[in-house]
Structure formats: C-alpha cells, structure tokens
Amino acid sequence: TEGVVIKVEATGLCRSDWHGWMGHDPDVTLPHVPGHELAGTVLATGRQVTRWKRGDRVTVPFVGGCGHCFECNSGNHQVCEHQFQPGFTAWGSFAEYVAVDYADTNLVALPESLDFETAASLGCRFVTSFRAIVDQGRVGPGDWVAVHGCGGVGLSAIMIAAALGANVVAIDLAQEKLDFARQMGAVATINAREVADVVEAVREITKGGAHVSIDALGHPTTCFNSIANLRRRGRHVQVGLMLGDHARPQIPMDRVIGWELEILGSHGMQAFRYQAMMNMIETGKLSPQKLVGRRISLEEAPAALMNMDRFEGIGISVIT
C-alpha cells in the first residue's frame, strides 16, 4: 500500500551486482533479478502513497528506508534497521518493471534536464561517493584527497571532491583510467604498478599525507594504503565493499591511535540529500554524464555482469 511500480527506463551495472551473483550477499535468494541503480517513470501507486503519481520521472537510492524506525526518524535512512535493497532483498531493475516500497520516503524526483541514463548512473556509485566525500569525509577546499581505485565510485569521488575545491590524487593499476581521472579533475595520479610504495608516493605528492582518503575499490591492499597514507588526524572513508574473504582486512591500528585518524564507512545516501547533489548537477558543477561509459541492452547484461571481475572499460555501464 505504501509502494509504487516503476517502469524502468535505464539501470546501471555495478560491482555490487557482481558480488550478489558470486554469492557474497546473504540477502539474495534464488530465483532472483539483480539491478539496483534505476531510473524510470511511476506506473502505479499504492493507496497510501501521497507524494507521487503515475508518469512522474524518478530514481531511488539503492538503500531504501522504512521511514518508521529510529534511524529513519533521525534522518539516517541509509542505515535503516529494516532497510531493503532492490536487486538484493527484493527483485531488482534488470527488468521492465520494478516495485519499490515506502515510496514517499525513498523516491527522488528527476529534473527534466536529467536524462534517464545519467540518472541511473547516479543510483549507487555517484550518490555513494557524494555522501562519502561531502557528509562522511567532510572534504573542504584545498584539502588533499587520495582516491584508491578509479572505477565508477572512484571517478565519481574525484569529480565531486574537485568540485568542492579539493586537490585529488588518483591511484589505480591502469594508465587509461588514470588519464581519465585527470579529465575528471585529479591534479596528480599514481600508477600502483609502477611505484614501489603507494603510501610514500601519496605522502610525497601531498607533502605529508592526505587529509581525506577513500578506498573506492574494496580490497585489503587499497584499504590498508588508504589508511596508511593519511596525515595526522586524517579521515579514511571505506566505500568499496569488503565481502567474502576480504571482510576482515588488516589495518594499521597503531597509526590510527597515535595520529588520531578517523575510519568511516559510507553506505548509500538518503533520498532527501539528493537535492544538494541535483542542484550541483543542474548548475553544471557536477557532470555525471561524463562517467557513463558503455550502453548495453538487457540481453547483453548477463555476460557483462559475469565479466565485472576483470575491471574492463572506463566509467559506468548502463543498460538502456
């Protein structure tokens, strides 16, 4: 009664979907439809839905809140105690239609100027990066920000941090991704294949370490480096998922204590926080459309999903 059915116009293809397919997520039970980065139009509304009507152009955060628990009431829908995730706890958007519960709490209106492909690319990676950089990392003008991993999350974080006036150092294993990172606003890049010590390289560029550092990949090595390359009282934000064998990585806790470092998680973003990001998109401060890489059909999605562990291609793949 509190939900809507959305006609899917575009949906992103994400490494989280790959984790689900690999069996790393206990919420997924077969048979199953993946997909959680969606944009489309409202097709039908439940009796208790008051804010939305048929034909509205919408997107939805990948973490949905119930709107009633303590966390939701405190404004933290992204860690709702009864959260649901299309494509994980329920069938997702690799389909023509998708159902979304608690629509008044979770839907986000799309500006007319924002096309469905770009809106779908926001769904998980861009909004997660926005919250990680702005709300969790508290990045400010002139801060040195290290971004470990230049996939969709990392490139989004680079663009957002640069828009806030920060100096971004991008780290990856692939030179073409680092070149693209410069186009997105990075002022320096480090090819982890070519330097002996990533942490030292970051320290040298930033003259003492990053103020804020993000693990945008989700790997024991990038997680460790991201914490170790901080300056005193710096902030590490973990955005890349650490699942399966990687769920308990080693961290330099001696440094965390001695230098008063902060370790923060970042898990999606509340629907009401989208407005600040949408304002920056509408005024041209942020250009998420630049991050859309491949456009594929729904028929091509299974093969693309299975190949995600190869980290091929630049930017965000969108099913249209």
Side-chain angles (χ1 to χ4, degrees):
T1 56
E2 294 182 58
V4 298
V5 174
I6 296 170
K7 181 179 186 296
V8 180
E9 298 291 348
T11 184
L13 184 67
C14 179
R15 188 161 163 79
S16 308
D17 299 314
W18 179 83
H19 277 297
W21 173 68
M22 287 294 288
H24 297 160
D25 194 316
D27 288 332
V28 175
T29 55
L30 299 175
H32 184 67
V33 178
H36 60 284
E37 302 180 295
L38 65 126
T41 53
V42 174
L43 188 72
T45 58
R47 280 196 309 278
Q48 292 178 312
V49 175
T50 59
R51 294 182 53 210
W52 308 97
K53 65 183 188 305
R54 184 184 171 102
D56 285 348
R57 301 171 79 251
V58 294
T59 186
V60 63
F62 80 91
V63 178
C66 69
H68 307 301
C69 71
F70 174 83
E71 297 299 346
C72 285
N73 286 334
S74 71
N76 289 296
H77 305 83
Q78 79 286 356
V79 289
C80 169
E81 296 161 37
H82 312 292
Q83 64 185 249
F84 64 93
Q85 295 180 290
F88 297 95
T89 61
W91 283 17
S93 53
F94 287 11
E96 290 178 48
Y97 306 100
V98 66
V100 175
D101 225 349
Y102 307 118
D104 283 346
T105 299
N106 296 303
L107 292 196
V108 176
L110 293 178
E112 285 301 324
S113 57
L114 195 63
D115 63 273
F116 287 120
E117 288 176 20
T118 306
S121 76
L122 300 175
C124 159
R125 286 158 283 195
F126 204 86
V127 296
T128 299
S129 297
F130 191 88
R131 179 167 166 75
I133 290 287
V134 178
D135 294 347
Q136 298 293 80
R138 310 190 299 283
V139 170
D143 283 352
W144 281 103
V145 178
V147 177
H148 296 260
C150 295
V153 170
L155 292 167
S156 302
I158 290 163
M159 180 187 287
I160 294 159
L164 296 178
N167 299 309
V168 183
V169 182
I171 302 106
D172 201 276
L173 296 165
Q175 193 56 45
E176 63 167 353
K177 291 186 179 179
L178 292 172
D179 294 341
F180 193 58
R182 277 195 189 267
Q183 293 174 37
M184 294 304 108
V187 297
T189 58
I190 295 168
N191 188 322
R193 284 192 203 282
E194 294 172 5
V195 299
D197 188 334
V198 168
V199 172
E200 277 310 307
V202 172
R203 272 183 205 289
E204 196 172 315
I205 292 167
T206 60
K207 298 180 176 60
H211 297 90
V212 179
S213 186
I214 287 185
D215 175 10
L217 175 62
H219 186 277
T221 303
T222 46
C223 175
F224 188 96
N225 287 347
S226 179
I227 297 169
N229 72 193
L230 290 168
R231 67 179 62 210
R232 293 164 197 271
R233 305 202 77 242
R235 297 182 287 283
H236 160 78
V237 188
Q238 187 65 39
V239 184
L241 293 175
M242 304 288 276
L243 300 171
D245 298 340
H246 294 165
R248 302 278 186 272
Q250 282 194 312
I251 63 167
M253 192 54 86
D254 53 340
R255 177 66 57 81
V256 173
I257 297 164
W259 285 17
E260 291 193 352
L261 305 181
E262 290 181 59
I263 298 178
L264 300 147
S266 199
H267 188 241
M269 187 166 81
Q270 316 94 309
F272 70 81
R273 276 296 280 147
Y274 271 65
Q275 193 55 53
M277 181 184 73
M278 292 296 191
N279 292 345
M280 291 180 76
I281 292 170
E282 286 198 86
T283 55
K285 294 273 196 310
L286 297 174
S287 306
Q289 63 274 14
K290 291 181 180 173
L291 298 177
V292 176
R294 282 201 306 161
R295 291 163 176 80
I296 61 175
S297 68
L298 194 52
E299 288 71 38
E300 296 171 276
L305 177 64
M306 289 186 271
N307 288 329
M308 286 208 86
D309 57 333
R310 297 186 197 165
F311 301 104
E312 291 169 348
I314 289 178
I316 295 172
S317 296
V318 178
I319 300 164
T320 58

